[in-house]
């Protein structure tokens, strides 16, 4: 266990990374470019309330 709730990467994740993040309850964010990003697991982490 890494102890992180969110893992952020610059490139696209593998299918295994998405599966493992989902199973571990980790929010996986990837393909981050400036203000642009894609959420691959647990998107509910980024609600309007959480971002405020």
């Amino acid at each position: 266990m890494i102890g992180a709730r969110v893992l952020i990467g610059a490139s696209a994740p593998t299918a295994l990374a998405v599966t493992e993040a989902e199973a571990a309850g980790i929010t996986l964010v990837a393909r981050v470019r400036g203000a642009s990003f894609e959420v691959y697991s647990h998107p509910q982490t980024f609600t309007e309330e959480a971002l405020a």
Side-chain angles (χ1 to χ4, degrees):
M1 176 164 239
I2 62 173
R5 294 180 57 206
V6 178
L7 183 61
I8 301 172
S11 61
T14 63
L16 179 60
V18 174
T19 300
E20 293 296 319
E22 187 70 39
I26 297 171
T27 301
L28 180 59
V29 180
R31 303 181 85 179
V32 177
R33 303 282 188 272
S36 174
F37 59 89
E38 294 182 33
V39 180
Y40 286 86
S41 65
H42 300 283
Q44 67 276 11
T45 301
F46 298 105
T47 62
E48 291 291 327
E49 298 82 33
L51 297 174

